[in-house]
Every structure is written in C-alpha cells, then in structure tokens.
C-alpha cells in the first residue's frame, strides 16, 4: 500500500531538525522530513527487517567491498535488488537517520549515491519531494544525475518543466535524464532543443537523453514512445551535433549507436555524403556499428 | 645517431710544418681519438704556410672500446662490432640490461648493488672490451667516463683475474698495464628507460700521458626495455591466489588446478592470506591479474637472447599482496620493477582501479608493432597513475600506449571487453570482444525457436551479494531469472544497448589500429548491467575475460539456461572456440569473482617465455 505523504498530518509527528546526515539540509526541509518521519514510523513497525537490511548493507562492509575488483564501497545494485519495500527505509536513511555507524567519506558518498539511485529507480511518487530537494541543491554530478533520473521516471508535468528549464550542471543532468520520461512532450522538446543546442556538454546530454528515449533494444517497453518521424528528426539532429562538435564525438557517437535503428543509419549515411575526410571516417565507423546491429 | 667509421690503423708519414712537439702530440691525439679516420688526408704544409719538413713519426697508439654492436652475442675486434660501436639503430648497436633479477637469491636485486653476484649475474652484464694498446708509453693512463642518467644507476664493472669488481668512474684510472693488456668491462643498469632517459649511454675512454692526450674512443649502448608479454606468448606457469577456507575460492582454485593439470601446465597458488600481506577485515586479494604484470627484458646472447622475466608491480601502494612480487617472484632470471607516483596528484580524475593490470593488455604483434601494442583504459576524466603511463611509454617498443575510454565501466579495465586467441591465419590471431548484442540475439533466437524457452532459467542457483559462509549469507539475493524476464527488462536492454555502443567504439579503435577485418573479430556473448552512476559490469559471466595459454582458454562457467541438460551458452562457446582450434574450459567462479565484478582472467596470471623472436632492438621507435 502506498502511503501518501500529503495526507499525513504534521501534528502527529514530532518536530525534526531540518538536517540530514547524508544530504544537504536544504534538500530536506521540514515540509519533507516531517511527513516522511511519520510514514517511516508506521512502516518500520510493519517491516523492521527492511530497515535492518539498510543498516547492514553488504556493500558498505569493508570486508565485502575490499574483496571486489573495484575495491570501493558500492551499494546501488544491492539497494535496487531490495525492491519497492525498501523505499521508505531508503528515504529514512537518506533524509532522517543516516547510517547507524560512522562511515568513511568514501562510504558515505557511496551510500548517498546508491540510495538516490535506488530510490529514483523505483519510480515512486513518494520520493519526489526529496528528489526535488536534491536536484535543487546537489553539486556533485552523480547525485544530480540520480535525482534527475528519479524525477524523470515519474515525470510529473511540473518536474518535467523543471528538468527542461534547468541550466548548467543541473541542465546537463536533466537533459540526459529526460528520456526516461517517455513522454511525447519531453521527446519533442529534446529533439527541438538538440537541433539548436550549441553548448557542447548540453548537446551531448540531450543526445544521451534521446538515446534513452529511443533505445531500439527497449522497443517492447513503455519507453517506446517516439514515432518514426520524430526518431528520424532526432537521428538527424544527433548526427548534426556529432559533426558540429568534434570534441563531443565520442559521447555523441555513443548516443547515436545507443539509439540505433534504421533512422539513425539513414541519418549517418546522409551525413557521410559530402562530409570532410575526418568526419567521413568517423561516420563510417558509426555506420559499420549500426549495420552490425541491424543485421542481427 | 652518433658514430664514426674507422678503417685501417694509421701508419706512415705525416707531412707537416715544423712545429713544436706538443702540437705534434695534439694532432696525433686528434687523429687517434673519436672521429679519427684513416682516410683523412695528410696535413699539408702548403695549407698552413710556413716552413715545411717531412717528419717520419710513429703512428699514435690506437685507443678502442668494443661492444657487441652487431648483436651476435659476442664482442669482436673487427667487422660490425668495430664499425658500429658508437651507432645505435634498428640494424646495429650494443644493448645492456636492467639487471633487476636476483641471481644469487640474496634478496637484493643484482643491479642495486656494487658487486657481481655470481656467474648467473655476470651473464646479465653487457660486455665492453678495452682493446689492448700495443706499444703504449709507460705512464700512460686511461679514464672511463659515462654519459648517462642520474637515475637509474648505470654501473661499470671490470674483470680482474676472473673476479668482477665495480669501476669507480670518478676516481679510478686504467693503468698502463691494463691498457696494454686490454680490459674486459661489464655494464648494467639498475632499472629500465624512464621518461627523462630514453636508455642510451655513452661510455668513453680517454688515454693520456701526463698532460698529453694520447687517444680516446667512445661507444654507445642502449638499455633493454621492459616488454609486456602478450597473451599469445608461450606460457610456462599459471598463477591464481588462494586463501583459507573460503569455499567459493577453493572451488575456483580446484577447477583451475584440474584444468591446468589436464593441459600439463604448471599451476602455482599464491597464498592470499600470508601474514605479510593479509589485512584485517579483508579476505585474500584474489585479483591476481591486477596486482602484477608479467613481461621480460633481453639483450643479444648468441643462440638465444640473454634476458629474464620481469614482474611489473601495480602502482597501487595500498595493494598489500603486491609485495609477493618482490618477495617471492624475484630470483634468478626473475626480475622486478615498480613505478608509481609517490603521492597522487590532488585531482579527482585519478581512479586507483585503473592502476590494476587487467587494465593493461597488449594487442598481439601486427604490422609496425612486432611486439604488439599496449592498450589501457585512461581518459582525462578518469585516469590511471601518470607515472605508470610515462614508464610504459618510455619503453617505446610496445608504445605509444593506446588509451581507450573505459569510463563507462565500473571497474574500468580493458580486459572486461577484449582478449585474443591464436588462429591459423596470416595474422595468427583474432580479437575477441564482449558482445551484449550477440547475447541478446542468442536469447531472442532461443525464444523464437520455441516460445517455451522464454521460461527457462538463467543463473539457476546463483546469488548476488553476501557470499556463502559470511555472517550475512542468509540475506543473499537469488540471481535466477527467466529468459523472458531478462529480454523484457527495458532498463536492462537500454543499458546494454548503451554499453554495446561503447564497446563498438573501442572495438573500432582496436580494429583500426591493428587493421583487422570483421572476420578477424569474434563477438563473445554476455549481457552487462549497471552497477552505479551509469557504469556497468558483466551481468552474465564475462566470458571474454579469459585465460589463454597455447590453444587452451579458460573462462567463467556461464550458468545460462539448460537445454537438453546442458548449459546452452557453454555449448555455444565450446563450439565457437573449437572452430578456431581452441579448447575451451570453464571454471566455477560466480561467487568469488563474477559477483565481485571480475572473471577468470582477473583471477589469474601467466608467466610466459621470452619470445624466440625477441629482438626488440630491431624496432625503431
């Protein structure tokens, strides 16, 4: 049963400090923390084991993460595996109680990052107030990315507008996440913006977002919301930015291949005609890779 | 390039103006010294004006250093050893070794002390002969000078009545008797070329009599580089790291033991729990590929190159088990070197994971790169130890290092997506690349063949997190999923399409670099998944990450769906490799390696012979 935070009465919960051990306090104002605390109290009574799991993450135990090949703490995967019942325990850890033992800076960063990713991955509206706060206040690219993707997964209109209007590092994170909205409005907006984008990082992020929206391998899923004419337009815009922005060719090239499909192949072939030699070589590389995929 | 071409000894009549004795001596010395030339015209009095006379003077004593410039393993008095003694090119030039092994097993690297540690060590010295100078005036002395690096240390030894001792280049001279009899010298370096020292030295000898210069000569030599073994080089021993009673590790070690026994390959288990490197709250460091890179160095030695295997220790100073390389690997003909930043630059771009040697692989030999070319994951936003890269580039033979973008991988190693096998073809090898595309196609084909296949289970009985035996084992998550569930997971599929895009671009970089056709590339099917922050790792066991020796590969058990009672992916891979003349083995490693983001290659290493064609000196780079 989903608990609506909106219906929780503030009078039922104790006042909490506007602070989070894991997040910038500005990301967790009282209007977020109070109803959350109430919801958590009920949830904790109902499923204490879910909270114990969060408090005992394998990926934060040095004896575990030091044996992994990367050798650093990482919990996103483990948290995602916990599924929807972990939502409130994760929000509790993020916004209210933190972690029950002292963490190194690296562990704390991994926990914050993993919680934000896993919370956002659930696509649950109850996480939106917190994710909005994080998106508005975070300065680290991975956290901005996680918050933006969390907002885009639910993609309420107001959040979509927030993502579309964001600028700077927020804008880059938002553009790359908007593909998860799987909304015609967001898709059309991304294509239009990419057609005129000049900022290299932002153009690259938009291309990445479009790849998320149009990944041909995910064709059977709910993301498949881009009709063929728009896909063709998107493909042409991606290829145009690939040509215009040599320093971004690797990133935009990845986006082009991640979009895949016949429309992208046509756009690449179209661009090859009359392109300068250096671009032609790169486009030939993209064409070969696209053909490999289409032949499967 | 430096050098001079000398011909026959100088004898005869020099026509010169009457001049004081000191000038005659000086002119003689100039002719005899570096750059002298038997074909030089006589000094003609008419050129200089003044009174002339014809004086019959004895030819000045000839000062000569000799080296193995023709690279036949011996030092001769004539021929190319004479002609090219001060040359260094692909065709000629003397070589000396970084003497980094420990032939007398005294725990001191041979190049780090002032003594020659026995006959084995003497073989690692490059010989330089001071040619006997007949008729040298009594009282003449010779001084050796070395133009070379400050670090590493280049040492010169001399052989006196069968005993080697170090020559003190600052204070020691060669006596008249030494010079009349000739002297055998030996040269070694304490380490390999560096970014500031390409490896070349000049050893010069100046002979004087009091203030009078009698003659001089010099030779040019170059230190041998550290060369990384390619996976196609002949293996002599396989390593893996064991430790204690960890069941999943014991299963992997047992499998490797059985496979190598079948293949008659020596197998050594490094004790991951040795007290010297065992760390509290940490099991054994099982990533045997990552804490050392094995290679070799050599100089011409006659029938076969004279050289040694060398281990390059990972730059990571916190990698305690890497101490094994110094303590246990080092010995006779087993050398050691270590290059790292003393303190890492305060930049967030440095990721110590990239300093692991699964991130340092070699494209096997191809046109223009007869010893292959190193490739390595490194981009500006996520970079490895700069000192390591500078060291590798300074070796030149396998460089410049081809840097690829691995920032999309959580671990970030090139061995997560590429490996090689030998094949019967003009090139002699093929590239294997990770292929989520091929994996997805295989799963789709299974369902297309029979929709009921969609309900078959992948990874049956396997788990994520909380390994068996740990206190938390009861909380492990089942990894088991149906094929339909995997194919229908749009997040997973979109992520795989993105990773395939990254793989396609690095594949193109490798393909273009080596000039490979599509037929020379084999796609190894497995899916990836996101670990965190958009960075991925193998979701299905990463079977491209394999151990190769001879015509045998060992890779992870795929734990794919059973068809007719057998793992369909294992069957597919066995057939795929058999078609290339390769025997495929599968080791159980899910829990100890795969679930910790590594596979068989990550967990093993191999010592390989110095290639028979190991004439690195013929590479002009």
């Amino acid at each position: 049963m989903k608990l609506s935070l909106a219906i929780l009465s503030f009078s039922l919960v104790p006042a909490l400090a506007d602070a989070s051990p894991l997040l910038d306090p500005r990301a967790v104002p009282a209007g977020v923390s109070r109803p959350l605390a109430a919801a958590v109290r009920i949830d904790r009574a109902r499923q204490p084991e879910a909270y114990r799991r969060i408090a005992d993450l394998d990926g934060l135990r040095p004896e575990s993460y030091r044996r992994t090949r990367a050798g650093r703490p990482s919990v996103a995967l483990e948290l995602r595996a916990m599924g929807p019942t972990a939502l409130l325990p994760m929000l509790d850890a993020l916004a209210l109680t933190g972690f029950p033992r002292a963490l190194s800076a690296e562990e704390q960063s991994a926990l914050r990052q993993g919680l934000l990713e896993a919370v956002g991955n659930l696509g649950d509206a109850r996480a939106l107030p917190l994710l909005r706060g994080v998106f508005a206040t975070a300065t680290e690219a991975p956290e901005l990315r996680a918050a933006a993707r969390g907002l885009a997964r639910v993609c309420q209109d107001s959040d979509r507008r927030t993502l579309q209007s964001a600028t700077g590092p927020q804008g880059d994170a938002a553009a790359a996440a908007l593909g998860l909205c799987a909304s015609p409005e967001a898709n059309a907006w991304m294509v239009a913006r990419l057609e005129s984008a000049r900022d290299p990082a932002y153009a690259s992020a938009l291309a990445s977002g479009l790849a998320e929206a149009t990944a041909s391998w995910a064709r059977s899923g709910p993301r498949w919301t881009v009709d063929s004419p728009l896909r063709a337009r998107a493909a042409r815009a991606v290829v145009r930015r690939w040509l215009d922005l040599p320093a971004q060719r690797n990133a935009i090239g990845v986006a082009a291949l991640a979009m895949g499909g016949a429309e992208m192949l046509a756009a690449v072939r179209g661009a090859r005609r009359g392109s300068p030699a250096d671009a032609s070589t790169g486009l030939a590389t993209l064409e070969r890779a696209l053909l490999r995929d289409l032949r499967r | 390039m430096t050098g001079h071409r000398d011909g026959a000894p100088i004898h005869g009549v020099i026509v010169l103006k009457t001049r004081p004795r000191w000038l005659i001596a000086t002119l003689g010395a100039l002719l005899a010294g570096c750059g002298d030339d038997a074909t030089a015209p006589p000094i003609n009095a008419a050129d200089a004006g003044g009174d002339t006379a014809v004086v019959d003077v004895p030819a000045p004593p000839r000062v000569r250093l000799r080296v193995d410039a023709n690279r036949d393993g011996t030092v001769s008095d004539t021929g190319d050893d004479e002609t090219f003694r001060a040359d260094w090119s692909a065709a000629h030039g003397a070589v000396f070794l970084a003497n980094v092994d420990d032939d007398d097993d005294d725990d001191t690297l041979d190049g780090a002390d002032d003594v020659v540690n026995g006959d084995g060590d003497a073989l690692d010295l490059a010989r330089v002969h001071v040619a006997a100078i007949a008729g040298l005036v009594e009282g003449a002395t010779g001084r050796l000078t070395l133009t070379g690096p400050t670090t590493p240390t280049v040492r010169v030894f001399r052989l006196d009545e069968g005993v080697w001792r170090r020559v003190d280049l600052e204070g020691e001279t060669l006596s008249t008797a030494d010079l009349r009899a000739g002297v055998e010298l030996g040269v070694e370096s304490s380490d390999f070329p560096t970014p500031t020292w390409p490896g070349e030295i000049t050893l010069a000898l100046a002979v004087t009599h009091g203030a009078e210069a009698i003659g001089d000569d010099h030779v040019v030599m170059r230190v041998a580089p550290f060369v990384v073994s390619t996976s196609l080089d002949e293996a002599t021993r396989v390593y893996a790291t064991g430790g204690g009673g960890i069941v999943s590790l014991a299963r992997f070690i047992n499998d490797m033991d059985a496979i190598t026994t079948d293949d008659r390959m020596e197998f050594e288990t490094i004790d991951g729990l040795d007290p010297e490197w065992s760390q509290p709250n940490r099991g054994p460091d099982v990533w045997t590929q990552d804490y050392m890179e094995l290679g070799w160095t050599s100089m011409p030695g006659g029938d076969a190159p004279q050289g040694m295997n060398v281990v390059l220790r990972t730059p990571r100073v916190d990698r305690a088990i890497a101490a094994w390389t110094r303590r246990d690997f080092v010995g006779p003909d087993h050398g050691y070197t270590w290059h790292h930043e003393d303190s890492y630059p305060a930049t967030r771009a440095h990721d110590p994971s990239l300093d692991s040697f699964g991130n340092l692989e070699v494209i096997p030999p191809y046109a223009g790169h007869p010893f292959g070319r190193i490739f390595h994951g490194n981009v500006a936003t996520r970079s490895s130890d700069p000192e390591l890269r500078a060291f590798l580039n300074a070796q030149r033979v396998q460089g410049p290092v081809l840097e690829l973008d691995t920032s999309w991988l959580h671990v970030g190693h090139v061995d997560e997506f590429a490996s090689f096998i030998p094949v019967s073809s003009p090139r002699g090898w093929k590239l294997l690349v990770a292929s989520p595309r091929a994996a997805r196609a295989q799963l789709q084909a299974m369902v297309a063949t029979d929709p009921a296949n969609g309900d078959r289970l992948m990874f049956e009985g396997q788990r994520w997190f909380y390994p068996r035996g740990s206190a938390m084992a009861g909380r492990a998550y089942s990894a088991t999923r149906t094929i339909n569930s995997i194919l229908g997971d749009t997040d997973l599929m979109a992520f795989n399409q993105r990773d395939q895009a990254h793989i396609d671009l690095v594949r193109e970089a490798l393909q273009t670099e080596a000039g490979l056709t599509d037929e020379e590339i084999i796609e190894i099917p497995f899916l990836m998944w996101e670990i965190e922050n958009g960075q991925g790792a193998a979701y299905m066991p990463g079977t491209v990450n394999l151990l190769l020796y001879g015509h045998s590969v060992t890779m992870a058990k795929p734990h794919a769906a059973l068809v007719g009672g057998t793992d369909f992916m294992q069957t597919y891979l066995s057939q795929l490799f058999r078609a290339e003349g390769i025997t495929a083995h599968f080791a159980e490693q899910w829990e100890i390696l795969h679930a910790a983001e590594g596979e068989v290659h990550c967990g093993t290493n191999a010592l390989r012979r110095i290639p028979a064609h190991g004439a690195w000196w013929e590479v002009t780079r």
Side-chain angles (χ1 to χ4, degrees):
Chain A
M1 181 183 74
K2 286 191 176 181
L3 293 173
S4 167
L5 298 182
I7 62 168
L8 290 170
S9 164
F10 288 1
S11 62
L12 294 177
V13 299
L16 292 169
D18 290 347
S20 160
L22 289 173
L23 298 174
D24 183 328
R26 293 173 299 158
V28 199
V32 173
S33 60
R34 283 185 183 135
L36 178 60
V40 163
R41 193 169 53 188
I42 297 167
D43 189 55
R44 189 191 299 273
R46 201 176 54 200
Q47 49 158 3
E49 171 62 13
Y51 289 80
R52 280 196 289 272
R53 274 183 176 271
I54 300 291
D56 218 351
L57 288 165
D58 193 46
L60 288 184
R61 298 158 67 94
E63 62 269 36
S64 289
Y65 68 74
R66 284 182 189 155
R67 76 173 190 88
T68 67
R69 200 178 189 202
R72 57 181 184 264
S74 173
V75 294
L77 205 55
E78 188 180 353
L79 289 166
R80 288 207 300 270
M82 292 179 182
T85 58
L87 176 67
L88 285 172
M90 291 194 291
L91 290 174
D92 172 48
L94 261 176
L96 303 176
T97 59
F99 200 70
R101 70 168 170 86
L103 299 174
S104 69
E106 189 181 38
E107 291 166 346
Q108 193 168 86
S109 173
L111 177 60
R112 181 167 54 241
Q113 175 67 23
L115 287 166
L116 285 170
E117 283 191 26
V119 160
N121 202 57
L122 289 172
D124 191 315
R126 288 176 293 176
L128 292 178
L130 186 74
L131 292 172
R132 289 175 190 134
V134 173
F135 184 69
T137 59
T139 55
E140 300 292 321
E143 290 165 29
L144 280 172
R145 175 184 183 275
R149 289 174 69 84
L151 293 175
R153 250 179 220 285
V154 182
C155 204
Q156 293 185 349
D157 282 348
S158 60
D159 291 323
R160 178 172 56 78
R161 286 193 293 273
T162 299
L163 294 173
Q164 290 177 185
S165 61
T167 59
Q170 265 93 352
D172 295 345
L178 271 166
L180 288 171
C181 269
S183 86
E185 293 85 356
N187 295 335
W189 181 87
M190 283 193 288
V191 173
R193 288 289 285 135
L194 183 60
E195 285 172 336
S196 61
R198 289 292 175 268
D199 177 74
Y202 194 59
S204 182
L206 283 166
S208 181
L210 275 168
E212 190 89 57
T214 61
S216 57
W217 291 14
R219 191 182 291 257
S220 60
R223 287 188 201 164
W224 195 250
T225 54
V226 188
D227 60 22
S228 187
L230 190 63
R231 286 177 60 81
R233 236 181 95 193
R236 287 194 297 272
V238 167
V239 173
R240 208 170 304 132
R241 293 292 83 83
W242 185 94
L243 285 165
D244 295 345
L245 303 168
Q248 299 292 320
R249 279 186 183 166
N250 190 66
I252 298 177
V254 167
L257 297 182
M259 286 174 70
E263 295 89 348
M264 182 56 73
L265 181 64
V268 167
R269 282 179 165 166
R272 274 192 78 184
R273 288 189 285 273
S275 62
D278 69 314
S280 183
T281 303
L283 289 169
T285 296
L286 296 181
E287 183 177 341
R288 277 196 300 273
L290 289 164
L291 278 170
R292 240 177 258 133
D293 203 41
L294 288 167
R295 283 177 187 148
R296 283 277 177 186
Chain B
M1 227 171 296
T2 58
H4 46 196
R5 308 272 191 273
D6 290 19
I10 302 169
H11 294 286
V13 174
I14 298 176
V15 179
L16 73 169
K17 296 166 110 182
T18 50
R19 284 291 184 267
R21 176 179 161 78
W22 63 266
L23 178 57
I24 297 171
T26 305
L27 287 168
L30 281 170
L31 285 170
C34 193
D36 65 354
D37 192 329
T39 61
I43 298 170
N44 191 327
D47 294 339
D51 302 331
T52 60
V54 175
V55 182
D56 191 2
V57 298
R62 199 176 60 150
V63 177
R64 280 292 179 272
L65 293 172
R66 303 193 193 287
V67 290
D68 181 19
N70 66 358
R71 299 165 178 166
D72 66 355
T74 59
V75 179
S76 311
D77 289 346
T78 56
D80 287 349
D81 280 354
E82 161 82 8
T83 307
F84 298 104
R85 66 189 186 281
D87 268 1
W88 218 99
S89 68
H92 302 97
V95 175
F96 65 113
L97 287 178
N99 198 0
V100 293
D101 67 348
D102 182 14
D103 283 313
D104 63 345
D105 255 337
D106 68 346
D107 270 352
T108 301
L109 300 185
D110 292 345
D113 60 20
D114 286 343
V115 296
V116 175
N117 303 282
D119 293 344
D121 191 19
L123 290 173
D124 294 334
L125 300 178
R127 302 310 161 91
V128 179
H129 291 177
V130 177
I133 307 174
L136 185 67
V137 61
E138 185 60 38
T141 57
R143 180 175 292 279
L144 290 162
T145 55
L146 179 75
T147 306
T150 309
T151 51
T153 303
V154 176
R155 291 182 176 81
V156 179
F157 297 87
R158 58 175 289 176
L159 186 62
D160 287 333
E161 297 176 348
V163 178
W164 287 97
R165 67 173 181 79
R166 186 178 181 186
V167 177
D168 174 9
L169 295 173
E170 296 298 316
E172 188 174 332
T173 57
L174 302 180
S175 68
T176 307
D178 291 335
L179 294 167
R180 284 174 177 166
V183 181
E184 181 166 6
L185 304 174
V187 178
E188 68 175 18
S189 172
S190 65
D191 210 338
F192 296 97
T194 68
T196 55
W197 177 54
E200 199 160 286
I201 62 164
T202 300
L203 184 63
L205 172 64
V207 177
T208 57
H209 181 250
E212 183 180 314
I214 291 177
D216 60 43
D217 194 21
H218 73 266
V219 290
V220 169
M221 307 175 80
R222 185 173 290 183
V223 73
F226 169 72
V227 185
V228 181
S229 296
T230 81
S231 58
L232 269 56
D233 291 336
E234 181 187 352
T236 56
R237 186 183 305 160
V238 166
Y239 297 102
T241 307
I246 300 170
V247 173
S248 53
L249 179 55
R251 289 180 69 183
F252 173 60
I253 295 293
N254 287 343
D255 277 6
M256 290 306 304
D257 193 24
I259 291 164
T260 50
T261 299
D262 280 354
D263 286 342
R264 297 180 181 176
M265 172 60 60
E266 189 177 332
F267 178 56
E268 179 175 341
T269 306
I270 296 165
D271 181 4
L273 296 178
D274 185 292
E276 187 172 333
W277 46 75
S278 181
Q279 295 171 295
N281 287 332
R282 191 204 197 292
D285 184 339
V286 298
W287 309 107
T288 317
Q289 184 64 217
D290 290 344
Y291 57 76
M292 59 177 175
E293 186 70 38
L294 292 162
W296 53 272
T297 190
S298 73
M299 63 180 179
D303 292 339
Q306 171 66 27
M308 62 188 78
N309 279 114
V310 179
V311 65
L312 173 66
R313 177 176 174 163
T314 174
R316 293 187 62 169
V317 293
D318 61 346
R319 203 80 187 243
I321 196 171
W324 177 88
T325 60
R326 179 64 184 83
R327 193 191 76 177
D328 291 357
F329 179 82
V330 170
D333 299 333
H334 280 55
Y336 166 91
T337 191
W338 190 18
H339 296 270
H340 61 90
E341 288 280 350
D342 289 332
S343 60
Y344 290 111
T347 161
R348 300 181 63 187
H350 176 244
D351 179 355
S353 180
L354 300 194
D355 300 335
S356 294
F357 287 146
N359 191 34
L360 196 168
E361 297 299 320
V362 182
I363 305 172
Y366 59 99
H369 290 268
F371 294 89
R373 184 171 178 187
I374 293 171
F375 64 108
H376 174 69
N378 181 68
V379 291
T381 52
R382 189 181 180 196
S383 61
S384 58
D385 186 313
E387 184 73 20
L388 169 70
R389 279 179 279 125
F391 170 76
L392 294 169
N393 278 317
Q395 308 313 301
R396 297 195 286 193
V397 171
Q398 295 172 302
V401 172
L402 179 64
E403 295 182 2
L404 299 176
D405 180 7
T406 57
S407 62
W408 47 281
L409 290 164
H410 190 242
V411 174
H413 294 181
V414 291
D415 73 348
E416 295 178 77
F417 56 77
S419 58
F420 306 89
I421 54 167
V423 296
S424 299
S425 73
R427 182 186 298 279
W429 55 269
K430 285 186 178 180
L431 166 68
L432 312 180
V433 289
S435 181
R437 175 191 296 124
R440 174 172 171 265
Q442 289 220 2
L443 296 176
Q444 287 176 324
M446 284 190 68
V447 177
T449 302
D450 180 356
N453 282 337
D455 295 326
R456 292 187 188 274
L457 297 177
M458 298 284 285
F459 320 137
E460 195 167 2
Q462 304 308 310
R463 305 135 40 103
W464 301 115
F465 323 115
Y466 312 109
R468 287 177 176 84
S470 80
M472 307 286 287
R475 292 182 174 179
Y477 290 86
S478 170
T480 308
R481 288 179 81 174
T482 65
I483 289 174
N484 278 341
S485 157
I486 290 171
L487 288 173
D489 184 336
T490 51
D491 279 348
L492 183 66
M493 288 299 116
F495 185 80
N496 271 277
Q497 189 168 11
R498 186 171 295 252
D499 267 9
Q500 182 66 65
H502 285 291
I503 292 167
D504 279 336
L505 292 183
V506 291
R507 164 201 167 127
E508 286 285 345
L510 292 168
Q511 187 168 5
T512 303
E513 170 57 29
L516 299 169
T517 64
D518 278 350
E519 290 66 39
E520 292 177 300
I521 299 176
I522 299 174
E523 296 192 350
I524 303 297
F526 60 91
L527 293 171
M528 312 285 288
W529 66 343
E530 181 177 358
I531 304 298
E532 64 180 354
N533 195 29
Q535 294 173 327
Y539 174 52
M540 296 162 68
T543 41
V544 79
N545 185 286
L546 51 77
L547 170 70
L548 167 72
Y549 52 79
H551 285 71
S552 169
V553 294
T554 303
M555 65 193 94
K557 273 189 180 162
H559 289 288
L562 300 179
V563 176
T566 59
D567 181 325
F568 86 88
M569 189 60 79
Q570 191 163 320
T571 303
Y572 170 80
L573 289 167
S574 294
Q575 291 169 348
L576 181 75
F577 282 101
R578 194 177 305 124
E580 302 291 349
I582 303 283
T583 303
H585 303 283
F586 298 89
E588 178 51 67
Q589 51 95 67
W590 178 288
E591 209 163 271
I592 192 67
L593 298 178
H594 176 61
E597 298 182 53
E599 315 288 350
V600 170
H601 184 259
C602 315
T604 57
N605 217 316
L607 182 66
R608 298 175 191 274
R609 287 191 201 282
I610 300 173
H613 66 282
W616 61 264
W617 42 84
E618 293 173 1
V619 178
T620 51
R621 178 171 297 117

